[in-house]
Amino acid sequence: MVTSEPTHAIEIRGLQKAFGFTQALAGTDLLVRPGESRALLGRNGAGKSTLIAMLTGLVKPDAGIIRIQGADGQVHEGSGADSIACVYQKSTLVNDLTVAENISLGAYPRKKWGAVDWQGIRSTAVEQLTEWGYGHIADRPVGDLEPLEKKIVEICRALSRGPRILLLDEPTAGLDEGGSHELFAQINSLRQRGVTVIYVSHHLEEIFKVCDSVTILRDGKDVLTAPTSELTVDKIVNVMAGVTDEEASAQSRAKEEQARLVQRREPGEVVLEVTNASVGHRVLGVDLLVRAGECVGLTGLDGAGHIQLAQAIAGQLRLDGGTMVHKGKPLGTGNEIDAINAGVGFVPEDRHVNGYVPEMSVEENATLSIVDRLRSAGGLINAKKRRRLFNELSGTWAIKCDGPTQAVEELSGGNQQKVVLARALASRPDTLVLVHPTAGVDMTAKESIYESLQSLRDSGKSLLIVSADDNDLAICDRVVVMYKGTIHAELAAGYEEWELVGAVQGAEEAAA
Amino acid sequence: MTTQTPTLAGAPHKGRAARAGSRIRSSSWARELALVPAIALAMIVGAILSPQFLTANNILNNILVTSAVLGIVVVAESIILISGYFDLSLESVVGLAPMLAVWLVLPAASGGSGWGFSVWAALAVMFLLSIVVGLINGTLVAKLKLNAFIVTLAMLILMRGLTMGLSGGQTLSGLPPEFLALGSTRWFGISIQIWLFALILIAAAVFMRSHPVGRKLYAMGGNNAAAAAAGIKTTRLTIGVFVAGAIIAAFAGLMLTGRIASVTASQGDGLIFTVFAAAVIGGISLNGGKGSMIGALCGVLLLGIIQNILVLSQVPSFWIEAIYGLIILGALIFNYLAGSKQSRRVV
Amino acid sequence: MTTQTPTLAGAPHKGRAARAGSRIRSSSWARELALVPAIALAMIVGAILSPQFLTANNILNNILVTSAVLGIVVVAESIILISGYFDLSLESVVGLAPMLAVWLVLPAASGGSGWGFSVWAALAVMFLLSIVVGLINGTLVAKLKLNAFIVTLAMLILMRGLTMGLSGGQTLSGLPPEFLALGSTRWFGISIQIWLFALILIAAAVFMRSHPVGRKLYAMGGNNAAAAAAGIKTTRLTIGVFVAGAIIAAFAGLMLTGRIASVTASQGDGLIFTVFAAAVIGGISLNGGKGSMIGALCGVLLLGIIQNILVLSQVPSFWIEAIYGLIILGALIFNYLAGSKQSRRVV
Amino acid sequence: GSSTSADGEPTVGFSAGVLDNPFTAGLVKSVVNQANEGGLNMLPASNAEGDPAKQVTDFNTLITQGVKGIVTIPRDSDAIVPAIQAANQANIPVVTVDTAANGGDVYMNIRADNVAMGTSVCEQIGELVGGKGTVLELHGALSTTSGFDRNKGFHDCMQSKYPDVTIIAKDTNWESAKAVEQAQTVLSTSPVDAVFLASDSVMLSGVQTVLQDQGKWVPAGQSGHLPLVTIDGSSGSLQGIRDGYVDAVVSQPVDLYGKYGVSYLKDAIAGKEYQVGPTDHNSEIVEYEGNLADMLPSPVITKDNVDDESLWGNQQ
Ligand SMILES: Nc1ncnc2c1ncn2[C@@H]1O[C@H](COP(=O)(O)OP(=O)(O)OP(=O)(O)O)[C@@H](O)[C@H]1O
Ligand SMILES: Nc1ncnc2c1ncn2[C@@H]1O[C@H](COP(=O)(O)OP(=O)(O)OP(=O)(O)O)[C@@H](O)[C@H]1O
Ligand SMILES: [Mg+2]
Ligand SMILES: [Mg+2]
């Protein structure tokens, strides 16, 4: 405890942390005034999540000072003060417990004799969730929720603690537009009440909506701290990547040049044809066509059915009605293996659930769907072949890791996502179904992912990008909007943003 | 934001809200009582096979009394399993704890230490030993992050060895009346063993269901990282859970000693398999975070009933084990077929 | 890396990447050979305690021959554990399979069936039995999604019972020479048991490390859902893994029978505990997806060496077990202190 | 190797199949005491923990240590044969105690006949119930030789001599708790006229509580007495005979096992040879499975001879 008048809600000096040979943080400073809302930015693997986890005490620093101003106004040495609430990048929910209990987890209201007050738990949960329009999920086990619902529960838990300091690590990854709106509204009202916020995101436009100032991390050091008003998205991206503005504009000129040289081919014959597809009460008789060399966007609000449709195409869900034809052959339903064999690649919605095998190496995860094709003459895996293939993939997706044999779970969130993308592509599918493909991926890497996807399309592959992210949809040739289980609108490339927003909300004029 | 008609806080699901108390916890009654069909079937079969099966005497004195010690150890193991760990060494506590207590009390001529401990002093030492065992297990698992299976297996071997060393392989009998009372006392005509089992089971059930610490154990077992992230002191709870388990097991060992009026060097050996069987059949997950005491009770009862039917029946000794295995396998499949084949929700 | 030297996207970490391949990621070997310090320590202690310890005779005939059967069952169990499952019934296959084979061959006068099966026909039936056992276990686990622990426990009880029923509790001896050969043959002065163990171990190690199916098993054990999403046929592989485990265990049972020149009704009883101990000490995770055959071998060797030292030493018989437990506990702690204490990423 | 100790006594080994029951524990202590008093340097007994294969290894390890002779309680009569053969190859004499070996060259099998014990019990019980009625037999694990043989002797004799007696045979796996459970259930649900415990040192005190509970713990001669016959002869069972609760006990010659086990081993090292015929200690050496066996008597103890000093149960 320090006696002097606290001037910082968070005071971090010279923070260091190494994992094995990876220096995640290399002497970072961070000073945040009470009531300030600070954006913490940086490329994938810059050390943002590590810093957040150190503030809450989940990761112990190797060196450096952390001081946090507690609820009592006193300054606490070290991490993990009670006045902090956090939404981590990765889910920290207990699947077997209900939503309500997860929201009160570890801080249960009590009745007489110290018994847990179930009614209190429930009303706290319903109250929080109702703000988001999710009051009805309070009694469900978290394991039954969809990723978006989980994210909301996670945010509700942090908010329900009445924190003085709120840490948000990519809270909007996986949220839809409505969810993001609600989040920003709540953050802004907390700011007015003097809550200190640390906000991590790769959606830089959000920074300007909710943050006073920005700190940029690069390779574990803070390289820039400035008020938001003095910055632009381009400036931030350049600092994150560590290039000067001149270098950056030279690069983008070169890219534009390249883009002009590449000839866009016209979409070819129909590759994927979905007719009258139904899945439960979510997808109600949908028709969808995807052509060779075409990139189709698919979007909608939560519950619109777009994600279920994508999962059905990838064999993750069984169709209750309708047919799917891929390359002229009927596609089996509810069988992911059939889908892969038929040439449909898939990037799942929640990478932690079925995206990767945590303790397996980056290289093996990336090539998991094609192990059978890596055999040498003796029937055993040809490690050289695998390494060559991985190097190709990791180049394409700019995966930052210590080496091909590092375990995927040790990677930063964005890099894990890139591994999942690499895996989907490894099987060289004719059709790629990607759900939230760039969730948690930084701006620069996103650009290169878009480039890769576009070049795939140009080489004649069909892409179906399921996303709520405007940037993801912007690379599509057309965007199909679902609403309440049916297709509501279809927008050709070059649509105005308001058109998309309207269509997603089910506005009639957009459908016209 | 969803597009359905907006609803006000608290209002949207009145019907559901009323049931909240029971529905809000993960372990719904349906899951807790999943074994009831299998138990019912077993009881019908028992009643058909033997006229003595459905007598009060058989149910109270044979099935329940026999299940009491097992049931208490199952309670201890279930708490540990729900918390996400494993404790094999409980079976050796069932052996070592009463052996130590009796050894301290008995004169050298009867194979004891001859130190003339009073019964209460011996019991104090015995519970102290259980606490130490729990502390060692818990610390190695929680602080050193060693695997619970292998730590408690080593502990099991160590304690079984201590029992053997202490007793020199002998059975100690001629126990003081305080020990025997745990086996032979009756309240309202029902053996104290049943009362104690009921007491411990109900206490554990209430604790796990409604005490904040119980809920934290569920959270810890369900997702240790998430529990830690929510500010739950997982290290301390882990150690606590191993200590509690060892104390309960020591008590169960004492009850077993009271019942067989002696302590043998092999007391408890092999018990842990049955304990796991009962717990897992009763719906306690080996991966932690799932299951309830009521479920565990059902598991204990089902095994107890099957055992009892086998004893009452005329199956030849040589084949009894095979039939037992077959019945358990059958019960599992029957329960699968009878139960709602609840799949995880997909949409 | 500092802020003064800006780096370009795509090439930001050249310096780190360069060290990567060779140094950092040697951790897989480091993990496989984690037990080597403990083994070395045990060997030094053994050499000090007994002049006979380091003789070729002791190492080959006492330590290795004893470890062979255990080691083969550990290989089988490790494959199943790596795939994310559990098989307790392997120990009963070690008992039932050779009992069945011998029973089919022997005349009624020696306690056999008197059906006069030829050795090869009996072996065929035996392996068929193992396949059926594996199929049942695998199907119940993979298709009905029943818990592997409880399914294989029921199977264990059933098969132990069948062994008892078949043999009527008697030991069968007077085996045909084909059976005995598995125990007594020597190649280059070294028992065939060691050769067979080496062969199976190497085959399993290569298979798990480099065969596509082996890698799929690792993926399945590490994250079943992700494996399925990557197009791995998890149901089929699960069943296959249980069948393979049972076949290997049956073979180990045959070797054990060759070694003791008879089949006892209790053959294999209690073996599974030691199997798990060796596998887990050797770094095989009970949660699946982790561990290697080399690690498992180290676990088997460490246990074998400790056992051997205890018999060679002058520890009083009644305290041997306690010392054994203490040593395992000590080895775990020593290994923790000697090894790298990496914790998993939680958020 | 260390074939002799510092003071020139020959080093000998002892391989036990199990240690965790009172009977073998007593036997091991008896053998080790006798050996060390009798001029042998006996290594601590190795414990195979019930695993015949470990016993083979234990033998090999003893051979590695260069012992001059081995006393063994085989875990299994057949499965011990490879171990004995290994000792034969190393020219180390072997004496088996309690359980005989079914092959190899054994200097002497010292044993009491477990089948005969079962037969003795059958005869006692047959008398007690007058040749008809129901008997509860709590037998040991049938996968152990003693469990199997006692059960066999009892059943074979009952079948031939008292065909009207019904046997309810229940397995206890040599566990006290299991014995109590079985006794509790059977005695409370079926009419039983007599009880046979295959091991009183394991089962008696537990079964006593069950009988007390059900008002059947009544001394002989009073109404409600339930005839009780046991094998082993622990001090508790002898006291039971004195007090009238136990009708007869077949006592195992534990002390004799220790005494003659050691003396035969010394004779073997000295090179003495034995022949079939009566011995100087009231027993008979017979030919058994190709080797010699000294069949020690297992006396039936009743009220008449319960105070015999030589009984092991009276020696504690
Ligand atoms: N437990 C761990 N073990 C090994 N390496 C780790 C661990 N945790 C983090 N790292 C490494 O530390 C570095 C920083 O990771 P961190 O998760 O903080 O990045 P980030 O800035 O949050 O990235 P992203 O934007 O992708 O989420 C990465 O190189 C990552 O691989
Ligand atoms: N597989 C399942 N297992 C158990 N309960 C289920 C399952 N599927 C749906 N439910 C229950 O059915 C009810 C309706 O769920 P559903 O997901 O259809 O709601 P919804 O109207 O789509 O809500 P939202 O707008 O939040 O998506 C809920 O109470 C839910 O818990
Ligand atoms: Mg991150
Ligand atoms: Mg929903």
Side-chain angles (χ1 to χ4, degrees):
Chain A
M1 236 172 274
V2 171
T3 42
S4 65
E5 176 71 10
T7 52
H8 297 295
I10 297 171
E11 179 181 356
I12 288 178
R13 292 189 193 276
L15 202 58
Q16 293 193 19
K17 179 70 191 180
F19 297 101
F21 291 93
T22 312
Q23 194 70 37
L25 288 177
T28 313
D29 296 342
L30 184 71
L31 300 171
V32 186
R33 277 177 289 103
E36 188 179 346
S37 168
R38 172 72 57 86
L40 192 59
L41 305 178
R43 296 202 54 186
N44 293 133
K48 306 177 293 294
S49 299
T50 305
L51 190 127
I52 297 278
M54 277 197 230
L55 277 172
T56 59
L58 281 188
V59 174
K60 299 276 174 269
D62 296 338
I65 296 167
I66 300 178
R67 291 202 184 94
I68 291 163
Q69 185 188 334
D72 48 6
Q74 297 279 23
V75 172
H76 298 262
E77 292 287 334
S79 51
D82 288 340
S83 48
I84 293 187
C86 181
V87 174
Y88 295 95
Q89 182 172 14
K90 188 176 153 191
S91 166
T92 57
L93 299 175
V94 184
N95 279 339
D96 297 322
L97 300 180
T98 61
V99 168
E101 192 170 353
N102 265 285
I103 286 178
S104 291
L105 200 70
Y108 304 102
R110 297 191 183 199
K111 289 193 297 195
K112 279 179 295 187
W113 312 312
V116 167
D117 175 8
W118 290 108
Q119 294 300 337
I121 287 180
R122 187 168 197 283
S123 56
T124 309
V126 171
E127 193 182 311
Q128 284 287 342
L129 289 165
T130 305
E131 305 262 329
W132 300 78
Y134 281 84
H136 60 288
I137 65 171
D139 298 334
R140 288 202 215 159
V142 162
D144 287 353
L145 300 184
E146 287 154 26
L148 170 129
E149 293 167 328
K150 286 187 184 172
K151 200 83 197 184
I152 288 170
V153 173
E154 201 112 27
I155 296 170
C156 286
R157 171 159 82 197
L159 296 176
S160 75
R161 301 290 155 99
R164 307 257 318 154
I165 298 174
L166 180 62
L167 313 176
L168 300 167
D169 194 352
E170 300 190 26
T172 53
L175 280 193
D176 62 358
E177 200 185 333
S180 304
H181 267 299
E182 179 60 34
L183 178 66
F184 300 149
Q186 297 222 19
I187 291 176
N188 283 326
S189 94
L190 287 175
R191 285 166 73 189
Q192 265 147 36
R193 282 185 258 152
V195 173
T196 311
V197 178
I198 303 257
Y199 190 89
V200 179
S201 180
H202 294 295
H203 296 275
L204 299 182
E205 68 283 359
E206 294 170 3
I207 303 307
F208 297 94
K209 293 183 190 158
V210 288
C211 296
D212 306 318
S213 55
V214 172
T215 291
I216 296 177
L217 293 184
R218 190 166 71 233
D219 294 333
K221 274 191 67 67
D222 56 309
V223 291
L224 177 84
T225 298
T228 316
S229 51
E230 293 174 12
L231 294 169
T232 63
V233 170
D234 285 342
K235 169 78 181 159
I236 291 173
V237 170
N238 292 343
V239 176
M240 273 167 44
V243 294
T244 61
D245 293 350
E246 294 81 67
E247 284 172 324
S249 54
Q251 273 180 10
S252 66
R253 262 197 308 278
K255 263 185 215 159
E256 275 166 32
E257 203 70 30
Q258 242 179 343
R260 217 168 301 138
L261 293 176
V262 175
Q263 276 299 311
R264 240 330 245 115
R265 270 196 278 161
E266 277 304 302
E269 77 285 14
V270 171
V271 172
L272 176 70
E273 184 173 9
V274 178
T275 316
N276 199 22
S278 306
V279 181
H281 64 287
R282 277 300 167 71
V283 180
L284 308 166
V286 168
D287 297 337
L288 185 72
L289 290 183
V290 184
R291 296 170 190 282
E294 189 184 32
C295 175
V296 177
L298 185 61
T299 190
L301 286 178
D302 168 42
H306 53 301
I307 292 177
Q308 284 72 26
L309 179 60
Q311 287 173 334
I313 294 170
Q316 304 271 320
L317 287 184
R318 188 173 292 281
L319 277 190
D320 294 317
T323 56
M324 299 183 294
V325 178
H326 186 248
K327 291 175 71 185
K329 291 197 199 98
L331 197 55
T333 166
N335 186 338
E336 41 221 348
I337 294 154
D338 283 357
I340 288 175
N341 290 342
V344 179
F346 183 58
V347 173
E349 183 181 16
D350 188 345
R351 59 174 171 261
H352 302 296
V353 174
N354 53 2
Y356 62 90
V357 183
E359 291 173 276
M360 220 171 200
S361 71
V362 177
E363 162 180 66
E364 279 203 71
N365 264 289
T367 55
L368 194 55
S369 51
I370 51 159
V371 264
D372 285 323
R373 295 186 215 160
L374 297 174
R375 291 168 194 250
S376 58
L380 298 180
I381 290 174
N382 183 339
K384 280 202 200 113
K385 202 165 164 185
R386 181 166 67 191
R387 182 63 50 89
R388 214 179 319 120
L389 190 75
F390 171 73
N391 286 338
E392 247 170 61
L393 293 168
S394 75
T396 309
W397 302 107
I399 298 168
K400 179 196 158 188
C401 56
D402 275 345
T405 55
Q406 186 174 20
V408 172
E409 71 169 351
E410 292 176 3
L411 300 190
S412 77
N415 285 302
Q416 291 172 344
Q417 183 67 21
K418 293 176 205 164
V419 173
V420 179
L421 282 166
R423 185 187 82 181
L425 204 70
S427 60
R428 300 195 192 287
D430 301 306
T431 303
L432 250 183
V433 179
L434 310 109
V435 184
H436 302 157
T438 60
V441 172
D442 70 45
M443 282 297 247
T444 321
K446 235 177 179 176
E447 289 302 329
S448 68
I449 288 174
Y450 293 150
E451 270 170 43
S452 312
L453 290 180
Q454 278 165 316
S455 75
L456 276 175
R457 173 195 60 194
D458 295 344
S459 71
K461 308 278 183 196
S462 319
L463 306 182
L464 182 64
I465 299 182
V466 184
S467 180
D469 185 330
D470 294 341
N471 297 325
D472 292 359
L473 298 177
I475 66 162
C476 297
D477 301 320
R478 58 190 168 97
V479 176
V480 174
V481 182
M482 283 183 68
Y483 182 71
K484 287 191 174 172
T486 55
I487 291 188
H488 180 66
E490 187 174 317
L491 306 170
Y495 56 83
E496 296 294 327
E497 199 182 323
W498 60 264
E499 286 182 285
L500 181 62
V501 173
V504 162
Q505 302 284 357
E508 283 307 324
E509 60 271 32
Chain B
M1 210 128 310
T2 57
T3 47
Q4 49 195 195
T5 21
T7 48
L8 285 166
H13 299 287
K14 273 259 169 62
R16 299 188 196 179
R19 287 169 300 179
S22 61
R23 283 206 47 213
I24 198 149
R25 284 179 306 271
S26 57
S27 39
S28 61
W29 281 106
R31 188 151 57 186
E32 294 192 9
L33 298 178
L35 269 192
V36 168
I39 291 179
L41 183 75
M43 294 199 72
I44 293 169
V45 171
I48 294 171
L49 284 183
S50 162
Q52 281 93 26
F53 178 77
L54 274 185
T55 57
N57 164 45
N58 186 49
I59 290 175
L60 286 177
N61 294 329
N62 301 345
I63 299 179
L64 288 182
V65 170
T66 305
S67 301
V69 169
L70 172 71
I72 292 175
V73 184
V74 169
V75 166
E77 189 69 70
S78 296
I79 295 176
I80 296 174
L81 284 173
I82 286 172
S83 308
Y85 299 98
F86 234 89
D87 192 351
L88 301 175
S89 69
L90 291 185
E91 79 161 36
S92 57
V93 176
V94 169
L96 178 57
M99 178 61 85
L100 178 69
V102 170
W103 182 79
L104 287 173
V105 170
L106 286 192
S110 321
S113 63
W115 297 343
F117 269 59
S118 77
V119 169
W120 301 111
L123 289 182
V125 173
M126 175 192 110
F127 280 112
L128 203 70
L129 166 91
S130 324
I131 292 172
V132 170
V133 168
L135 280 178
I136 296 177
N137 280 336
T139 308
L140 293 181
V141 169
K143 297 236 181 198
L144 267 56
K145 311 269 181 233
L146 295 178
N147 181 292
F149 180 90
I150 195 69
V151 164
T152 58
L153 179 59
M155 195 54 120
L156 164 77
I157 297 172
L158 169 60
M159 284 199 286
R160 214 187 251 175
L162 286 178
T163 311
M164 176 74 94
L166 215 57
S167 65
Q170 298 290 348
T171 299
L172 301 190
S173 58
L175 313 188
E178 288 89 341
F179 287 98
L180 299 177
L182 267 179
S184 53
T185 312
R186 286 172 172 270
W187 289 339
F188 307 106
I190 293 173
S191 163
I192 187 171
Q193 301 237 333
I194 300 180
W195 290 109
L196 288 172
F197 175 36
L199 202 77
I200 290 176
L201 182 86
I202 292 170
V206 170
F207 177 82
M208 292 304 285
R209 185 186 287 269
S210 300
H211 194 276
V213 173
R215 301 320 298 175
K216 287 180 187 176
L217 297 182
Y218 273 99
M220 193 167 87
N223 184 345
N224 195 303
I232 292 173
K233 299 197 170 64
T234 50
T235 307
R236 198 187 290 182
L237 282 182
T238 301
I239 296 177
V241 141
F242 277 99
V243 170
I247 291 177
I248 299 176
F251 189 74
L254 221 48
M255 281 173 59
L256 185 58
T257 291
R259 193 162 140 64
I260 63 175
S262 54
V263 214
T264 67
S266 61
Q267 181 166 314
D269 282 12
L271 183 71
I272 205 73
F273 258 139
T274 319
V275 169
F276 272 99
V280 175
I281 291 179
I284 309 277
S285 161
L286 291 180
N287 301 322
K290 237 160 45 186
S292 74
M293 293 299 144
I294 305 300
L297 170 68
C298 290
V300 170
L301 289 183
L302 181 63
L303 290 189
I305 291 171
I306 295 177
Q307 284 273 17
N308 179 257
I309 294 175
L310 284 176
V311 177
L312 288 179
S313 73
Q314 303 291 319
V315 181
S317 303
F318 289 114
W319 290 102
I320 224 165
E321 233 189 317
I323 307 249
Y324 185 49
L326 209 58
I327 292 178
I328 296 183
L329 217 50
L332 290 174
I333 296 172
F334 169 81
N335 229 53
Y336 167 80
L337 297 174
S340 51
K341 276 141 274 176
Q342 256 187 355
S343 57
R344 296 194 63 90
R345 88 170 279 195
V346 281
V347 254
Chain C
M1 229 154 274
T2 63
T3 48
Q4 283 93 314
T5 41
T7 47
L8 284 166
H13 303 288
K14 274 261 166 63
R16 298 186 197 180
R19 285 173 303 186
S22 56
R23 290 177 57 198
I24 307 173
R25 295 293 124 200
S26 61
S27 78
S28 68
W29 276 108
R31 191 154 56 188
E32 293 191 10
L33 298 177
L35 271 191
V36 169
I39 292 179
L41 183 76
M43 295 200 70
I44 293 169
V45 171
I48 293 170
L49 284 183
S50 163
Q52 283 94 25
F53 178 76
L54 275 185
T55 57
N57 168 37
N58 186 52
I59 291 175
L60 288 178
N61 293 331
N62 300 346
I63 300 179
L64 288 181
V65 169
T66 309
S67 302
V69 170
L70 172 70
I72 292 174
V73 184
V74 169
V75 166
E77 189 69 71
S78 296
I79 295 175
I80 296 173
L81 284 173
I82 286 172
S83 309
Y85 299 97
F86 234 86
D87 193 350
L88 301 174
S89 69
L90 291 185
E91 79 162 37
S92 57
V93 176
V94 169
L96 178 57
M99 179 60 86
L100 178 69
V102 170
W103 182 78
L104 287 173
V105 170
L106 286 192
S110 322
S113 63
W115 297 343
F117 270 59
S118 78
V119 168
W120 302 111
L123 289 182
V125 174
M126 175 191 108
F127 281 112
L128 203 69
L129 167 90
S130 324
I131 292 171
V132 170
V133 168
L135 280 178
I136 296 177
N137 281 336
T139 307
L140 292 181
V141 169
K143 296 238 180 196
L144 267 57
K145 310 271 180 233
L146 294 179
N147 181 293
F149 180 90
I150 196 68
V151 165
T152 58
L153 178 60
M155 195 53 119
L156 163 77
I157 297 172
L158 170 61
M159 284 200 285
R160 218 187 249 175
L162 286 179
T163 310
M164 179 62 85
L166 214 57
S167 65
Q170 261 178 316
T171 300
L172 300 190
S173 62
L175 312 190
E178 289 89 342
F179 286 97
L180 298 177
L182 267 180
S184 54
T185 312
R186 286 172 170 271
W187 289 339
F188 306 108
I190 294 173
S191 164
I192 188 172
Q193 301 237 332
I194 299 180
W195 290 110
L196 288 172
F197 174 35
L199 201 77
I200 290 176
L201 183 85
I202 292 170
V206 170
F207 178 81
M208 292 304 284
R209 183 187 289 272
S210 301
H211 195 276
V213 174
R215 303 319 297 174
K216 288 179 188 177
L217 297 181
Y218 273 97
M220 197 167 85
N223 182 349
N224 198 303
I232 292 171
K233 300 188 172 92
T234 50
T235 307
R236 195 185 293 184
L237 281 183
T238 301
I239 296 177
V241 142
F242 278 98
V243 171
I247 291 177
I248 299 176
F251 189 74
L254 222 47
M255 282 174 59
L256 185 58
T257 290
R259 195 161 134 64
I260 61 175
S262 51
V263 216
T264 68
S266 63
Q267 182 164 310
D269 281 13
L271 183 71
I272 205 73
F273 257 138
T274 319
V275 168
F276 273 97
V280 175
I281 290 180
I284 308 278
S285 161
L286 292 180
N287 302 321
K290 224 160 65 180
S292 73
M293 292 300 143
I294 305 300
L297 169 69
C298 289
V300 171
L301 289 182
L302 182 63
L303 290 188
I305 291 171
I306 294 176
Q307 284 271 19
N308 180 255
I309 293 175
L310 283 175
V311 180
L312 283 178
S313 73
Q314 303 282 318
V315 182
S317 335
F318 287 100
W319 290 100
I320 273 195
E321 236 190 311
I323 308 258
Y324 185 50
L326 209 58
I327 292 178
I328 296 182
L329 218 48
L332 289 175
I333 296 173
F334 170 82
N335 231 51
Y336 165 79
L337 297 174
S340 58
K341 279 135 270 184
Q342 261 199 343
S343 60
R344 293 191 56 180
R345 176 169 191 155
V346 285
V347 287
Chain D
S2 56
S3 52
T4 52
S5 70
D7 43 1
E9 292 175 345
T11 300
V12 292
F14 186 2
S15 163
V18 286
L19 278 186
D20 66 350
N21 68 73
F23 171 74
T24 28
L27 179 49
V28 167
K29 280 180 192 156
S30 158
V31 171
V32 173
N33 285 344
Q34 301 267 5
N36 291 333
E37 280 166 23
L40 294 175
N41 170 39
M42 184 162 270
L43 298 173
S46 63
N47 176 6
E49 289 164 35
D51 177 1
K54 178 160 189 310
Q55 197 163 25
V56 177
T57 304
D58 287 347
F59 254 73
N60 282 329
T61 312
L62 287 173
I63 295 167
T64 306
Q65 285 173 294
V67 294
K68 290 280 185 245
I70 298 176
V71 181
T72 181
I73 310 172
R75 172 68 182 124
D76 186 277
S77 300
D78 292 302
I80 195 71
V81 174
I84 305 226
Q85 286 167 342
N88 294 154
Q89 268 179 7
N91 280 323
I92 298 171
V94 180
V95 171
T96 70
V97 177
D98 186 34
T99 304
N102 285 349
D105 280 335
V106 178
Y107 182 76
M108 186 66 74
N109 289 304
I110 302 157
R111 59 189 298 254
D113 190 342
N114 277 301
V115 178
M117 291 184 204
T119 310
S120 296
V121 172
C122 153
E123 283 160 355
Q124 293 295 321
I125 287 187
E127 286 292 299
L128 286 162
V129 299
K132 60 177 190 299
T134 306
V135 182
L136 168 61
E137 179 206 11
L138 294 178
H139 59 73
L142 295 175
S143 54
T144 60
T145 322
S146 47
F148 184 84
D149 285 353
R150 290 174 196 182
N151 179 60
K152 180 174 160 55
F154 182 72
H155 278 259
D156 289 353
C157 155
M158 276 290 175
Q159 214 160 45
S160 58
K161 285 197 185 159
Y162 306 103
D164 293 339
V165 172
T166 313
I167 304 171
I168 302 179
K170 294 295 174 192
D171 183 16
T172 65
N173 202 30
W174 298 125
E175 287 169 27
S176 320
K178 196 115 189 272
V180 168
E181 182 186 318
Q182 305 275 25
Q184 166 68 40
T185 304
V186 175
L187 291 173
S188 72
T189 53
S190 315
V192 169
D193 302 308
V195 177
F196 159 33
L197 306 182
S199 164
D200 53 56
S201 50
V202 172
M203 305 172 192
L204 184 61
S205 50
V207 170
Q208 177 184 340
T209 60
V210 172
L211 291 172
Q212 277 170 337
D213 241 28
Q214 303 189 359
K216 291 173 181 157
W217 187 250
V218 178
Q222 297 183 20
S223 83
H225 170 72
L226 186 62
L228 182 58
V229 180
T230 72
I231 295 179
D232 259 8
S234 64
S235 59
S237 65
L238 298 186
Q239 192 56 42
I241 289 190
R242 285 186 199 104
D243 298 342
Y245 297 110
V246 181
D247 295 89
V249 170
V250 179
S251 177
Q252 294 224 69
V254 181
D255 56 326
L256 299 184
Y257 283 155
K259 187 169 166 194
Y260 293 107
V262 170
S263 85
Y264 279 122
L265 191 65
K266 283 203 293 191
D267 291 346
I269 294 170
K272 190 174 165 186
E273 296 205 0
Y274 281 93
Q275 251 98 53
V276 171
T279 65
D280 56 357
H281 48 269
N282 205 5
S283 69
E284 181 95 12
I285 293 181
V286 298
E287 171 106 17
Y288 179 81
E289 299 279 344
N291 290 301
L292 295 179
D294 186 349
M295 299 296 264
L296 297 173
S298 353
V300 176
I301 313 297
T302 58
K303 258 205 158 89
D304 305 332
N305 55 353
V306 67
D307 292 322
D308 187 339
E309 283 292 305
S310 69
L311 296 177
W312 70 280
N314 282 334
Q315 287 173 348
Q316 279 177 338

